[in-house]
Amino acid sequence: MTVQKLPIAKAINESLRKAMETDPKVLIMGEDVGKLGGVFRVTDGLQKDFGEGRVIDTPLAESGIVGTAIGLALRGYRPVVEIQFDGFVFPAYDQIVTQLAKMHARALGKIKLPVVVRIPYGGGIGAVEHHSESPEALFAHVPGLKVVSPSNSSDAYWMMQQAIQSDDPIIYFEPKRRYWDKSDVDTDAIPGPLHKARTVVAGSDLTLVAYGPMVKVCVEAAAAAAEEGKSIEVLDLRSMSPIDFDAVQASVEKTGRLVVVHEAPVFYGAGAEIAARITERSFYHLEAPVLRVGGYHAPYPPARLEEEYLPGLDRVLDAVDRSLAY
Amino acid sequence: MTVQKLPIAKAINESLRKAMETDPKVLIMGEDVGKLGGVFRVTDGLQKDFGEGRVIDTPLAESGIVGTAIGLALRGYRPVVEIQFDGFVFPAYDQIVTQLAKMHARALGKIKLPVVVRIPYGGGIGAVEHHSESPEALFAHVPGLKVVSPSNSSDAYWMMQQAIQSDDPIIYFEPKRRYWDKSDVDTDAIPGPLHKARTVVAGSDLTLVAYGPMVKVCVEAAAAAAEEGKSIEVLDLRSMSPIDFDAVQASVEKTGRLVVVHEAPVFYGAGAEIAARITERSFYHLEAPVLRVGGYHAPYPPARLEEEYLPGLDRVLDAVDRSLAY
Amino acid sequence: MTVESTAARKPRRSSKRTGSSAGKAVADPQLVQLLTPEGQRVEHPDYDVDLTPEELRGLYRDMVLTRRFDAEATALQRQGELGLWASLLGQEAAQIGSGRALRDDDYVFPTYREHGVAWCRGVDPTNLLGMFRGVNHGGWDPNSNNFHLYTIVIGSQTLHATGYAMGVAKDGADSAVIAYFGDGASSQGDVAESFTFSAVYNAPVVFFCQNNQWAISEPTERQTRVPLYQRAQGYGFPGVRVDGNDVLACLAVTRSALERARRGEGPTLVEAFTYRMGAHTTSDDPTKYRADEEREAWEAKDPILRLKTYLENEGHADEAFFASLEEESETLGKRVREAVRAMPDPDRMAIFENIYADGHALVDEERAQFAAYQASFATESDGGFAAGEGK
Amino acid sequence: MTVESTAARKPRRSSKRTGSSAGKAVADPQLVQLLTPEGQRVEHPDYDVDLTPEELRGLYRDMVLTRRFDAEATALQRQGELGLWASLLGQEAAQIGSGRALRDDDYVFPTYREHGVAWCRGVDPTNLLGMFRGVNHGGWDPNSNNFHLYTIVIGSQTLHATGYAMGVAKDGADSAVIAYFGDGASSQGDVAESFTFSAVYNAPVVFFCQNNQWAISEPTERQTRVPLYQRAQGYGFPGVRVDGNDVLACLAVTRSALERARRGEGPTLVEAFTYRMGAHTTSDDPTKYRADEEREAWEAKDPILRLKTYLENEGHADEAFFASLEEESETLGKRVREAVRAMPDPDRMAIFENIYADGHALVDEERAQFAAYQASFATESDGGFAAGEGK
Ligand SMILES: Cc1ncc(C[n+]2csc(CCOP(=O)(O)OP(=O)(O)O)c2C)c(N)n1
Ligand SMILES: Cc1ncc(C[n+]2csc(CCOP(=O)(O)OP(=O)(O)O)c2C)c(N)n1
Ligand SMILES: [Mg+2]
Ligand SMILES: [Mg+2]
């Protein structure tokens, strides 16, 4: 049985298990990752099977988690670190930005930092403050880091395999509100490259680019638009650093229109980078300015307002219409 | 004597002094800000005149500095906090992003956080690692913060006055390699609004937008271009959050061309946001895509390579030429 | 962690000052206790309280009502009225004892679990529920009751408390500040930095650590190998461990620490040794990681029961008191229930409010765009019903 | 800070284990000393070293050559060959003593000032100069000598050391790890977190704090109100203060702490009480904030002089030894000078190298654009001279 229908959370769990079986140097570290299996159960059962020496419940200190993971990596281990929620990565931000991102370059390549930082991110789960954020741009701006996010179970599985195998530090953003969404995982497949975008829906009138939790919304938007006779292409970016600009460019040069969608605030977000670069690359192909749909320049609101804050089907379609109106 | 020719560092010093004289609640906090007067002497003489109770040498702990400044602000003080160098703000990043930026909103406006975080930033001084960075985008992306940077002594003086008077937390980036550049300060002037851009050089063929240390380079580029008969308008952005898009738009709709220049890496940088938004606002006015000149997606290099890394006159002119070639 | 290992760390010698051992758990001062689990009043060489029967009944009432409120909130979460609840069950004595030690002009920096302290400060309990319902991120004015908003990012508030206390000292006031945090939080760099700052500036702050034995699924052994109160001495101020289920001892120890702060002698760390009887929050399932027997052992140390026994044995409270308190509890429960159900959803435009005190051009722009976007639905033929579905 | 206040904190009683006082500086264990400032060999109940004359001369040689190297680097900075230099002047004993206590398989995590430790590890001194000259950010392979790169962000490396030590323990190796940091660094949250992690996981790491009395312009009083070595006990492991200008005591104490780590007994904090004789770095001007008398008082405690006196008094070294060492020093100075002057500027394309181990599309793109941009100058009529001016 190589193809299974798995929820994203379980696909990551299986991927971690596979990596730990394959490579004794792979470790899991974080708060509550052991007996509890993480607050989202992503590491469920792993401590039971691999022991406390490989699935490590850490003190409640994120800088300490990432800092010691760096030390373990220097010793030859491959730590996969869990940050419990997006909003709690900031105490570790210094270690990530000044050490994890830069140590390989600082050592002129003589040491490697194969550390994966897993971060459940994004909103839509009705949580209290700090549990619904999308800070990916704050990592993608930093040279030395790579930043990815899967949108489905197969990617969740394979991108985790690839992230662990990579000798570079990778920030792996998990779309927490999609944890329970099921889709097929072929554990015998030969995966494509980690940092390439994927065409989810082919279309010819406009390109929608998204990643992580927003891919689903964009696919729905494409379907809704199709009913109105509009042919929308949906690209799952998968990687926010590097960005597969070639794929976006190719699509845009076909459709002539681009809308970028993410949950993070639009201001200084990934959409800005994509808009700027694609406009530069495809200036004469664009029929309309690149439009962005995303979070407002506001703290993530209380749960009862999150559906207003998050880009939803209507807001995406509104942007599609505005783009097509040019 | 109301007009003085002052270096930027001294203008900030005078502004801090003025604020402390005017408002007994203004405090200065940081590492080495007391007897030493800061490693750049920006707080020189202030502890001598205002005492250890108001110019506070802190333990070597940036999170502690910002965290206690927040507490002092809650008690009614107006702390002006110094981070010794750009690269050392990251240990304080959590307090800045999760607390300083959000507490006003969290309290539904019932408490105010008038904290100024001063950060000498940018390269060009031949320093070792962590002393030459430009992390402004990492703050501008965060709702709840305001981010500014002066490029000359008058702005340094007045923007600091305004930052201290503001009830919002403000990240005040000081262009450290321009600290010793002198220009006029009129301490009796009536300053314009804190977050408005300023036209430094008027022109009609292309708009250059910069802030902080890059304004000088752009002015020089405009002069060099003028010799070749090109009329370049230079805008000093002054504020990276909010951004005075109206001013940029007005200029671009006049010139039809825009190049944004900053030291920070281009990828996910301020230039991306400006390019995306201006392209959206002025789609039909742009003769060329907005071009960006900035740092590479690489850790800030060792000093002997920084002139290659930093955007200089030639790289700006190259972008100007490329834009004009459209 | 098992019951045994926790018990093994129970200290044996009492002292206001902290003990000496490093690297091993011998010669710990015993935890300060004034009321045994059996409801016996005992003496302590360093701490005492002298309370009138009325005051004792007051503490009892505080604990009972706090527990009632907490139970109601848990129930409201189950009914879907709240998105989440963090129960203080078992920690009533630690919170009421410390909360009642405070003066009005003192200032409190809580975590997300200090419902009992909020009660002592006079914060309307229903105000605490807004953030758990998801209508706001903190629904009260911190300065109305000198009770700061709940802080969710673990440990952050200890620095705010320290800074506030530095300000108090600057003002020449003799108020004190108290910072609550948990055993898990003790590992955060921010908490260590708050120890350093408060010691160096001699700030009038009390660090009140409720060691409830667990940080979600992690036992205190994951955070420290020696008793937490000992942390203080390495920073140059006293630490003391108090029976966190003994409201009298918590009151006495906190009062003493606050007085010390007022006298300008600087910070104190109080470790209230207690137990989280419930789940971490309503999202948590403790059966995954801890044994029932542990909880049962702690049930015997219940903070409310022991005070009840004492009140009864001493004849300080009669049936009528307990009956009327029962009634008061029910009234409180009802009031809370109704208030929560009546709590309106925030206006969607609230997304754009209070982000900045002085405004921000982009917020203005986005607010206007959002309003126009919303309005566009209203003018469509469907009469605007689509607006709510703009998801 | 004045000389007096520093002296006032000098502890009085010695102990391998840490002492008891909390909140006041009484009953501190005296700092461990085996060689007095006057060059007298003294006994200590807990620590000893038994060295041959050759070994003693070796330590002396290490310190002299390290100082010579350091002086040369300072001179090279003045000559404009280095952009900056962080001198270890005065801290030779702390660094050579601890550095010579290490085994080859131990691993070192230094700050930016551990030139003496680097020397002990066999790192070519000229390699240390690259980052100060501005040609790289760290010019050696950490794994060649088990000597990690210099870390500039204060305190960060203590966590790397702890993680590395956790890995050593996992591997079942009996190596140890040593993390250097300063008195200023002791305030950083990261250092506290490294104490917590190392204690909880019983990691084989020695925290070696060189308390050189200053963090740039701030005296140690700005970081703590009790002696720093006491910090350890609150985390559950021993702390000890050693005379940081006594190479024998530093060797003995570090060796003992390393052995403890190897035995699986976990971390130790060593506070080497020493003095930064020079400026913080060549950019600093200490006359702004400290009195000459303080420096002068510490000059009398010079680490090299006292060992010299001892060697002479004991007849362990003769004129020939000192003369040949003098010569060796000069040769080293010359070699360093020449090596620095010959150090080539990095190729500009190095900007794009080693950012990622597995590559990154944007880096490839920018590298190509940069190369094309550079090439565009070469093809211009001026023959390419403008390229270097592309500023
Ligand atoms: C910085 C940070 N990391 C992680 C979390 C997630 N989290 C919430 S509560 C908690 C455990 C806290 O334990 P403790 O400090 O003992 O307090 P308690 O919940 O037991 O009252 C964790 C890990 C958080 N809120 N903040
Ligand atoms: C996080 C951080 N903040 C500030 C600095 C700037 N800085 C460099 S050295 C130094 C003082 C360090 O003092 P200490 O730890 O005692 O070490 P010493 O320099 O005395 O060896 C400071 C503040 C830094 N490098 N890193
Ligand atoms: Mg707890
Ligand atoms: Mg020092």
Side-chain angles (χ1 to χ4, degrees):
Chain A
M1 182 198 59
T2 61
V3 180
Q4 286 174 283
K5 221 178 186 62
L6 296 177
I8 287 182
K10 183 67 181 162
I12 300 172
N13 176 279
E14 289 291 340
S15 190
L16 293 172
R17 174 178 294 280
K18 176 78 188 307
M20 295 190 82
E21 279 165 3
T22 314
D23 183 351
K25 293 295 186 185
V26 173
L27 303 177
I28 291 182
M29 302 172 66
E31 296 158 9
D32 307 295
V33 296
K35 267 197 192 152
L36 184 62
V39 293
F40 290 106
R41 307 293 184 269
V42 172
T43 57
D44 199 33
L46 298 177
Q47 189 180 66
K48 192 165 141 283
D49 294 340
F50 296 97
E52 292 191 15
R54 293 190 62 199
V55 181
I56 306 169
D57 270 336
T58 63
L60 209 175
E62 286 77 8
S63 187
I65 296 171
V66 173
T68 55
I70 291 171
L72 281 156
L74 294 174
R75 180 72 191 182
Y77 287 88
R78 303 183 89 84
V80 182
V81 152
E82 173 174 311
I83 297 293
Q84 202 159 72
F85 282 91
D86 34 64
F88 307 139
V89 70
F90 299 114
Y93 195 70
D94 176 55
Q95 282 286 348
I96 293 174
V97 167
T98 67
Q99 304 301 328
L100 188 60
K102 297 201 171 96
M103 210 179 267
H104 176 71
R106 189 179 299 150
L108 302 175
K110 279 162 200 131
I111 51 181
K112 300 203 166 78
L113 277 298
V115 176
V116 179
V117 181
R118 295 181 38 233
I119 309 180
Y121 83 121
I125 63 159
V128 294
E129 205 187 348
H130 311 292
H131 291 71
S132 307
E133 300 182 8
S134 300
E136 62 272 16
L138 304 175
F139 296 90
H141 185 49
V142 179
L145 300 177
K146 290 174 173 172
V147 183
V148 302
S149 180
S151 69
N152 59 70
S153 300
S154 177
D155 277 355
Y157 182 91
W158 284 111
M159 288 168 71
M160 180 57 78
Q161 288 293 306
Q162 294 168 319
I164 293 173
Q165 278 155 26
S166 169
D167 280 334
D168 287 313
I170 295 195
I171 315 296
Y172 185 98
F173 279 103
E174 303 178 0
K176 69 168 89 84
R177 66 164 144 153
R178 309 289 181 220
Y179 268 148
W180 304 277
D181 288 8
K182 283 187 184 182
S183 56
D184 280 347
V185 178
D186 179 352
T187 54
D188 285 340
I190 294 163
L194 177 55
H195 300 288
K196 287 274 171 253
R198 188 175 62 95
T199 307
V200 190
V201 178
S204 54
D205 295 337
L206 182 146
T207 304
L208 275 177
V209 164
Y211 50 84
M214 278 297 132
V215 172
K216 188 177 176 202
V217 173
C218 288
V219 170
E220 288 166 6
E227 285 177 23
E228 298 173 18
K230 298 164 194 161
S231 169
I232 309 290
E233 179 145 307
V234 179
L235 243 63
D236 180 353
L237 205 59
R238 299 171 77 249
S239 175
M240 291 87 90
S241 175
I243 290 175
D244 185 356
F245 289 117
D246 290 346
V248 182
Q249 180 179 359
S251 176
V252 167
E253 296 192 359
K254 183 175 69 174
T255 64
R257 290 181 163 84
L258 174 61
V259 175
V260 187
V261 184
H262 52 61
E263 290 189 18
V266 163
F267 195 52
Y268 285 81
E273 179 58 39
I274 296 168
R277 192 138 335 217
I278 293 301
T279 306
E280 187 176 343
R281 285 195 180 200
S282 310
F283 188 62
Y284 292 120
H285 292 86
L286 283 170
E287 310 280 344
V290 179
L291 298 184
R292 297 176 286 166
V293 182
Y296 300 108
H297 190 67
Y300 196 90
R304 301 255 167 169
L305 288 177
E306 69 180 337
E307 296 297 347
E308 306 282 350
Y309 179 92
L310 289 169
L313 191 58
D314 283 345
R315 277 179 61 204
V316 174
L317 290 173
D318 174 68
V320 166
D321 289 348
R322 281 188 288 124
S323 176
L324 290 170
Y326 272 82
Chain B
M1 183 196 62
T2 63
V3 181
Q4 286 174 282
K5 221 180 186 60
L6 296 177
I8 287 182
K10 182 67 181 162
I12 300 171
N13 177 279
E14 289 291 340
S15 190
L16 293 172
R17 174 177 293 279
K18 176 79 189 307
M20 297 190 80
E21 280 165 1
T22 313
D23 184 350
K25 293 294 186 185
V26 173
L27 303 176
I28 291 182
M29 302 172 66
E31 296 158 9
D32 307 295
V33 296
K35 267 196 193 154
L36 185 63
V39 294
F40 289 108
R41 308 292 185 269
V42 172
T43 56
D44 199 33
L46 297 178
Q47 189 180 67
K48 193 165 141 282
D49 294 340
F50 296 98
E52 291 191 14
R54 293 191 62 199
V55 180
I56 306 169
D57 271 334
T58 63
L60 210 175
E62 286 78 6
S63 188
I65 295 171
V66 173
T68 54
I70 290 171
L72 281 156
L74 294 174
R75 179 74 190 181
Y77 287 87
R78 304 184 87 85
V80 182
V81 152
E82 174 173 310
I83 298 293
Q84 201 158 74
F85 281 92
D86 34 65
F88 307 138
V89 71
F90 299 115
Y93 196 68
D94 176 54
Q95 283 285 348
I96 293 173
V97 166
T98 68
Q99 304 301 328
L100 188 60
K102 297 200 172 94
M103 210 179 267
H104 176 70
R106 189 178 298 147
L108 301 175
K110 279 163 199 129
I111 51 181
K112 301 204 165 77
L113 276 299
V115 176
V116 178
V117 180
R118 295 181 39 233
I119 309 181
Y121 84 122
I125 64 159
V128 295
E129 204 187 348
H130 312 291
H131 291 70
S132 307
E133 299 181 9
S134 300
E136 61 273 16
L138 303 174
F139 297 88
H141 185 49
V142 178
L145 300 177
K146 291 175 173 171
V147 184
V148 301
S149 181
S151 70
N152 58 69
S153 300
S154 177
D155 277 354
Y157 181 91
W158 283 111
M159 290 167 71
M160 179 57 77
Q161 288 293 305
Q162 293 169 318
I164 294 173
Q165 278 155 26
S166 169
D167 279 335
D168 288 313
I170 296 194
I171 316 296
Y172 185 100
F173 280 102
E174 303 177 0
K176 70 167 90 84
R177 67 164 143 150
R178 308 290 180 222
Y179 267 148
W180 304 277
D181 287 8
K182 284 189 184 181
S183 55
D184 280 347
V185 179
D186 179 352
T187 54
D188 285 341
I190 294 162
L194 178 55
H195 300 288
K196 289 274 171 254
R198 188 176 62 96
T199 307
V200 191
V201 179
S204 54
D205 295 339
L206 182 147
T207 304
L208 275 177
V209 164
Y211 50 84
M214 278 297 133
V215 172
K216 188 178 175 201
V217 173
C218 288
V219 170
E220 288 165 5
E227 286 176 22
E228 297 173 18
K230 299 163 193 159
S231 168
I232 309 289
E233 179 145 307
V234 180
L235 244 61
D236 180 354
L237 205 58
R238 298 173 77 247
S239 175
M240 292 87 90
S241 175
I243 290 175
D244 185 356
F245 289 117
D246 291 345
V248 182
Q249 179 178 0
S251 175
V252 167
E253 296 192 357
K254 183 175 68 174
T255 64
R257 289 180 164 86
L258 174 60
V259 175
V260 187
V261 184
H262 52 61
E263 291 189 18
V266 162
F267 195 51
Y268 285 81
E273 179 58 39
I274 296 168
R277 195 145 323 225
I278 293 302
T279 306
E280 189 176 342
R281 286 194 179 199
S282 310
F283 189 61
Y284 293 120
H285 292 86
L286 282 169
E287 309 281 343
V290 179
L291 298 184
R292 297 176 286 165
V293 181
Y296 301 107
H297 190 66
Y300 196 90
R304 300 256 169 169
L305 288 176
E306 70 181 336
E307 295 298 346
E308 306 282 351
Y309 179 92
L310 289 169
L313 190 59
D314 283 345
R315 277 179 62 205
V316 173
L317 289 173
D318 175 69
V320 167
D321 288 348
R322 282 189 288 123
S323 176
L324 289 170
Y326 270 82
Chain C
M1 191 180 86
T2 64
V3 190
E4 292 72 43
S5 68
T6 308
R9 291 201 291 98
K10 192 171 146 185
R12 281 175 293 146
R13 192 170 52 76
S14 73
S15 165
K16 192 188 222 150
R17 299 226 166 263
T18 54
S20 67
S21 78
K24 45 183 179 154
V26 298
D28 287 342
Q30 192 170 15
L31 82 181
V32 178
Q33 194 178 73
L34 297 177
L35 192 63
T36 69
E38 295 74 32
Q40 280 240 262
R41 189 70 171 76
V42 291
E43 296 295 305
H44 189 280
D46 296 319
Y47 298 99
D48 199 13
V49 280
D50 188 17
L51 300 176
T52 65
E54 194 186 338
E55 288 168 328
L56 287 165
R57 285 194 302 274
L59 293 174
Y60 182 78
R61 173 177 172 272
D62 288 338
M63 291 199 290
V64 167
L65 293 180
T66 297
R67 183 172 287 185
R68 182 65 183 83
F69 163 68
D70 187 75
E72 190 62 42
T74 301
L76 285 165
Q77 194 280 334
R78 291 216 187 88
Q79 294 156 26
E81 296 289 344
L82 301 180
L84 184 82
W85 183 245
S87 164
L88 69 2
L89 190 67
Q91 300 177 218
E92 295 86 356
Q95 296 194 12
I96 300 301
S98 59
R100 285 299 177 202
L102 296 163
R103 281 192 338 210
D104 279 356
D105 60 323
D106 293 340
Y107 213 102
V108 177
F109 287 84
T111 72
Y112 41 81
R113 207 188 285 286
E114 268 65 76
H115 321 313
V117 185
W119 171 265
C120 295
R121 300 307 285 172
V123 177
D124 187 324
T126 62
N127 280 349
L128 303 176
L129 299 173
M131 61 182 276
F132 293 99
R133 185 173 168 86
V135 303
N136 58 44
H137 291 318
W140 58 94
D141 179 350
N143 290 324
S144 295
N145 305 77
N146 281 10
F147 185 78
H148 190 71
L149 296 178
Y150 278 179
T151 296
I152 290 176
V153 183
I154 298 294
S156 305
Q157 75 281 1
T158 57
L159 282 169
H160 311 154
T162 299
Y164 196 96
M166 287 163 63
V168 167
K170 260 182 220 315
D171 294 343
D174 80 336
S175 319
V177 178
I178 189 164
Y180 288 86
F181 64 104
D183 45 295
S186 70
S187 296
Q188 284 286 3
D190 272 9
V191 174
E193 294 187 10
S194 74
F195 288 4
T196 288
F197 276 69
S198 64
V200 162
Y201 298 119
N202 208 35
V205 58
V206 175
F207 296 106
F208 195 91
C209 176
Q210 286 169 85
N211 178 356
N212 64 6
Q213 313 304 325
W214 292 92
I216 309 187
S217 75
E218 299 190 3
T220 309
E221 284 73 29
R222 281 290 113 212
Q223 317 294 340
T224 182
R225 65 187 205 185
V226 287
L228 277 173
Y229 74 91
Q230 294 181 5
R231 185 70 50 87
Q233 64 190 105
Y235 290 87
F237 56 90
V240 56
R241 180 182 274 187
V242 60
D243 182 341
N245 286 12
D246 172 353
V247 70
L248 303 185
C250 287
L251 178 69
V253 166
T254 310
R255 214 177 242 173
S256 156
L258 289 165
E259 284 309 321
R260 194 173 173 279
R262 290 186 214 297
R263 286 196 306 271
E265 292 169 33
T268 304
L269 169 61
V270 178
E271 178 192 5
F273 205 74
T274 180
Y275 194 73
R276 195 195 78 206
M277 295 299 288
H280 170 68
T281 64
T282 46
S283 300
D284 178 42
D285 174 9
T287 65
K288 288 244 173 200
Y289 54 81
R290 71 183 189 186
D292 279 353
E293 300 83 55
E294 182 178 290
R295 189 186 185 285
E296 283 157 24
W298 277 91
E299 223 148 59
K301 303 183 198 169
D302 187 68
I304 295 186
L305 206 65
R306 70 171 84 174
L307 186 56
K308 186 170 194 208
T309 309
Y310 178 65
L311 287 174
E312 287 174 341
N313 288 352
E314 298 292 313
H316 287 337
D318 56 14
E319 268 310 307
F321 167 75
F322 292 114
S324 103
L325 182 53
E326 181 66 38
E327 206 172 296
E328 195 180 357
S329 286
E330 283 318 304
T331 312
L332 174 65
K334 188 154 173 283
R335 177 165 81 81
V336 167
R337 207 155 51 236
E338 284 167 3
V340 166
R341 290 186 178 144
M343 217 177 257
D345 276 2
D347 185 274
R348 54 164 70 106
M349 296 312 291
I351 291 174
F352 303 95
E353 297 314 313
N354 297 313
I355 306 169
Y356 295 93
D358 294 346
H360 187 287
L362 179 61
V363 174
D364 296 340
E365 189 180 324
E366 290 186 344
R367 185 195 295 108
Q369 282 166 354
F370 183 81
Y373 170 73
Q374 294 299 342
S376 74
F377 289 98
T379 55
E380 274 171 25
S381 54
D382 69 0
F385 286 105
E389 289 154 26
K391 297 172 183 179
Chain D
M1 191 180 88
T2 64
V3 189
E4 293 71 44
S5 68
T6 309
R9 290 203 291 98
K10 193 170 147 184
R12 279 175 294 150
R13 192 171 51 78
S14 74
S15 166
K16 195 192 227 149
R17 301 225 165 264
T18 54
S20 67
S21 78
K24 45 183 180 155
V26 299
D28 287 341
Q30 192 170 18
L31 84 180
V32 178
Q33 194 177 73
L34 298 177
L35 192 63
T36 68
E38 295 74 33
Q40 280 242 262
R41 190 72 170 75
V42 289
E43 296 295 305
H44 189 278
D46 296 318
Y47 297 99
D48 199 13
V49 281
D50 188 16
L51 301 176
T52 64
E54 192 186 339
E55 288 169 328
L56 288 165
R57 284 194 302 274
L59 293 175
Y60 182 78
R61 173 176 171 272
D62 289 339
M63 292 199 288
V64 166
L65 293 180
T66 297
R67 182 172 289 185
R68 182 64 184 84
F69 163 67
D70 187 75
E72 190 62 44
T74 301
L76 286 164
Q77 194 281 333
R78 291 215 188 90
Q79 295 156 26
E81 295 290 343
L82 301 180
L84 184 81
W85 183 244
S87 164
L88 68 7
L89 189 67
Q91 300 177 218
E92 295 86 355
Q95 297 195 12
I96 299 301
S98 60
R100 285 299 176 201
L102 296 163
R103 280 192 340 210
D104 278 356
D105 60 323
D106 294 339
Y107 213 102
V108 177
F109 286 85
T111 72
Y112 40 81
R113 207 188 283 287
E114 267 65 76
H115 322 313
V117 185
W119 170 265
C120 296
R121 300 307 284 173
V123 177
D124 187 324
T126 61
N127 280 348
L128 303 177
L129 300 173
M131 61 182 276
F132 292 99
R133 186 172 167 88
V135 304
N136 58 45
H137 291 318
W140 57 95
D141 180 350
N143 290 325
S144 295
N145 305 78
N146 281 10
F147 185 79
H148 190 71
L149 296 179
Y150 278 178
T151 297
I152 291 177
V153 183
I154 297 295
S156 305
Q157 74 282 1
T158 57
L159 282 169
H160 310 153
T162 300
Y164 195 96
M166 288 162 61
V168 167
K170 260 181 220 315
D171 294 343
D174 80 335
S175 320
V177 177
I178 190 165
Y180 288 86
F181 64 105
D183 44 297
S186 70
S187 296
Q188 284 286 4
D190 272 9
V191 174
E193 294 187 11
S194 73
F195 288 3
T196 288
F197 276 68
S198 64
V200 163
Y201 298 118
N202 208 35
V205 58
V206 175
F207 295 106
F208 195 91
C209 176
Q210 286 169 84
N211 178 355
N212 64 7
Q213 313 304 325
W214 292 93
I216 308 187
S217 75
E218 299 190 3
T220 309
E221 283 74 30
R222 279 292 112 211
Q223 318 293 340
T224 182
R225 65 187 206 185
V226 287
L228 278 173
Y229 74 92
Q230 294 181 4
R231 184 71 50 88
Q233 63 189 108
Y235 290 87
F237 56 89
V240 56
R241 181 181 274 186
V242 60
D243 182 342
N245 286 11
D246 172 354
V247 70
L248 302 185
C250 288
L251 177 69
V253 167
T254 309
R255 214 177 241 172
S256 156
L258 290 165
E259 284 310 320
R260 194 173 173 280
R262 291 186 215 296
R263 286 195 307 270
E265 292 169 33
T268 304
L269 169 61
V270 178
E271 178 192 4
F273 204 74
T274 179
Y275 194 74
R276 194 194 79 207
M277 294 298 288
H280 170 69
T281 65
T282 46
S283 300
D284 179 42
D285 174 9
T287 63
K288 286 242 174 204
Y289 54 81
R290 72 182 189 187
D292 279 353
E293 300 82 56
E294 181 178 291
R295 191 186 184 286
E296 282 157 23
W298 277 91
E299 222 148 59
K301 303 183 197 167
D302 186 69
I304 296 186
L305 205 65
R306 71 172 84 176
L307 186 57
K308 186 170 195 209
T309 309
Y310 178 65
L311 288 173
E312 288 174 340
N313 290 352
E314 298 293 312
H316 287 335
D318 56 14
E319 267 313 305
F321 167 75
F322 292 114
S324 103
L325 183 53
E326 181 66 39
E327 206 172 296
E328 194 180 358
S329 286
E330 283 317 303
T331 311
L332 174 66
K334 186 151 173 285
R335 178 164 81 80
V336 167
R337 208 156 48 235
E338 283 166 4
V340 167
R341 290 185 178 145
M343 217 177 257
D345 276 1
D347 185 273
R348 55 163 72 106
M349 295 312 290
I351 291 174
F352 302 96
E353 297 313 315
N354 298 312
I355 305 168
Y356 295 93
D358 294 345
H360 187 286
L362 179 61
V363 174
D364 295 341
E365 190 180 323
E366 290 186 345
R367 185 194 295 107
Q369 282 166 355
F370 183 81
Y373 170 73
Q374 295 297 343
S376 74
F377 288 98
T379 54
E380 274 172 26
S381 55
D382 69 359
F385 287 105
E389 289 153 26
K391 296 170 185 180

